[in-house]
Amino acid sequence: GPYDAASDPVVAYDPKHAIWMIASLPLSATLSTPAVVVSRSADGLRWQNPVSVNANSPGSDKNWIVCDSWPSSPYYGNCYLEWDDTMSYGQIRMSTSPDGGLTWGPALSTTNFAEGIGGQPLVQPNGVVIVPIRLFTGTNASDMVAFSSSDGGVSWSAPVTISNVQLHGDAGGIRSGALPSAAIDGAGTIWVVWEDCRFRTNCSTNDLVYSTSTDGLNWTSVIRIPIDDVSSAVDHFIPGIGIDPATAGATAHIALHYYYYPQSNCSASTCQLFVGYISSGNGGTGWNTPIALTGPMDVAWLPRSQNGLMVGDYIATAFTNGVPHGVFAVAQPSSGSTFKEAIYSG
């Protein structure tokens, strides 16, 4: 179309209508940008012109899309799109499509007009949509929270608190932050992972932590993922969780990709960036030995954004036939003013 670029791509599949969708934010130096667009495809190869979800909000950010893939759900085939509206101080928006992304309903707010960032909607087998997100402003700003819909996206509840967030600023000028990464197991249990320093003395570095819920209302106490000892200097950030949808509960297969520094107390000239991986085959009761997938990368190799050196705001973990695949950015030494960074899978 008439745009210069697209940002924040998120993929969903609607099995009822047999449609692939990619939600993204179109960018233009000269045109007013729609809030979010959705590209549709029946085969993943040939794509229709993007559908504008809401053309009246040019300040959209951090979109995410999911489709109800449970045949037993009363809302099977509904797709739900979340974003925040920076023109309204980060107010959370939700839109619903009942027809494979052809048309989208109005941009709805939560009942208390909450403001947040980085929401990731998930659908339970009973059709309830739960959206973990980080609060943006207000009394409990920076809390990890969740809101929900039990009526197919007609209305959205006020957020409930999952936990407060305790954050150690990542070194080296890298762009990161405690955005949630969320996934659902085959029985409908929600997992939310984020970076947090509460288990470290003086909040000296970030672990990856999580909380789970079966209903989006009641959440477990925060649990630390034991990638390394609490006395280590390793700093972990930008997690991406995936759960094998064929598993659940005590036998759920959890996989997690993330970035890390072996030494948190580093500078732009000394920070060494790695991509790590850890998994659990028993619902988090025990964890396998973590491994480094790539690195070290000098942070100076990364492209610059207005908020720091950037590998992206998200990292992905997706299962196919029981096998987890990570999707992550890897940088190589830059050539003059040209950066060399690409997306890899492993």
Side-chain angles (χ1 to χ4, degrees):
Y3 299 101
D4 302 315
S7 179
D8 295 57
V10 189
V11 180
Y13 183 69
D14 175 2
K16 179 178 179 179
H17 301 97
I19 292 292
W20 287 97
M21 298 180 209
I22 301 177
S24 61
L25 307 179
L27 305 174
S28 171
T30 58
L31 300 174
S32 177
T33 304
V36 183
V37 298
V38 171
S39 301
R40 305 173 67 256
S41 173
D43 59 8
L45 299 174
R46 292 171 289 271
W47 293 84
Q48 300 173 7
N49 289 335
V51 176
S52 178
V53 176
N54 183 354
N56 299 316
S57 179
S60 55
D61 192 26
K62 295 290 178 293
N63 54 288
W64 204 270
I65 187 173
V66 70
C67 295
D68 187 335
S69 60
W70 305 96
S72 60
S73 165
Y75 308 109
Y76 176 55
N78 272 12
C79 295
Y80 305 96
L81 190 55
E82 185 275 340
W83 71 95
D84 64 273
D85 185 355
T86 62
M87 302 298 287
S88 296
Y89 307 101
Q91 197 168 115
I92 298 165
R93 307 295 193 198
M94 295 294 309
S95 183
T96 303
S97 173
D99 54 12
L102 278 173
T103 60
W104 291 86
L108 303 178
S109 302
T110 66
T111 56
N112 66 335
F113 302 99
E115 297 158 0
I117 189 169
Q120 296 195 359
L122 298 162
V123 184
Q124 294 185 300
N126 60 3
V128 173
V129 187
I130 298 172
V131 189
I133 193 169
R134 188 174 176 186
L135 277 188
F136 198 66
T137 59
T139 304
N140 298 316
S142 292
D143 277 7
M144 204 63 68
V145 300
F147 64 94
S148 61
S149 174
S150 57
D151 54 15
V154 174
S155 63
W156 297 91
S157 73
V160 299
T161 300
I162 299 173
S163 171
N164 69 325
V165 173
Q166 300 178 40
L167 189 63
H168 167 81
D170 301 309
I174 195 165
R175 171 170 163 151
S176 67
L179 293 177
S181 177
I184 188 169
D185 73 12
T189 296
I190 304 288
W191 283 59
V192 183
V193 179
W194 68 94
E195 60 186 90
D196 195 287
C197 62
R198 73 185 63 201
F199 294 103
R200 302 291 183 140
T201 301
N202 298 322
C203 225
S204 59
T205 188
N206 290 312
D207 290 301
L208 300 182
V209 304
Y210 70 93
S211 177
T212 67
S213 176
T214 58
D215 59 7
L217 301 173
N218 302 284
W219 294 85
T220 63
S221 298
V222 175
I223 301 171
R224 175 182 178 270
I225 299 173
I227 299 172
D228 44 62
D229 191 80
V230 291
S231 63
S232 79
V234 182
D235 189 28
H236 319 77
F237 45 93
I238 315 181
I241 185 175
I243 303 177
D244 185 344
T247 66
T251 59
H253 184 181
I254 316 296
L256 188 70
H257 292 81
Y258 54 92
Y259 292 96
Y260 70 96
Y261 293 145
Q263 173 56 252
S264 63
N265 186 18
C266 60
S267 66
S269 61
T270 62
C271 286
Q272 298 288 288
L273 181 65
F274 290 76
V275 175
Y277 169 78
I278 193 170
S279 63
S280 171
N282 54 15
T285 300
W287 293 84
N288 297 316
T289 302
I291 60 173
L293 297 182
T294 186
M297 295 176 269
D298 290 347
V299 293
W301 299 348
L302 306 180
R304 297 182 180 276
S305 77
Q306 69 270 34
N307 295 317
L309 300 167
M310 193 174 186
V311 288
D313 290 329
Y314 303 100
I315 192 170
T317 302
F319 275 86
T320 58
N321 300 319
V323 178
H325 301 269
V327 182
F328 44 83
V330 178
Q332 298 176 1
S334 56
S335 175
S337 61
T338 302
F339 70 87
K340 297 181 179 179
E341 183 177 288
I343 303 300
Y344 290 78
S345 180

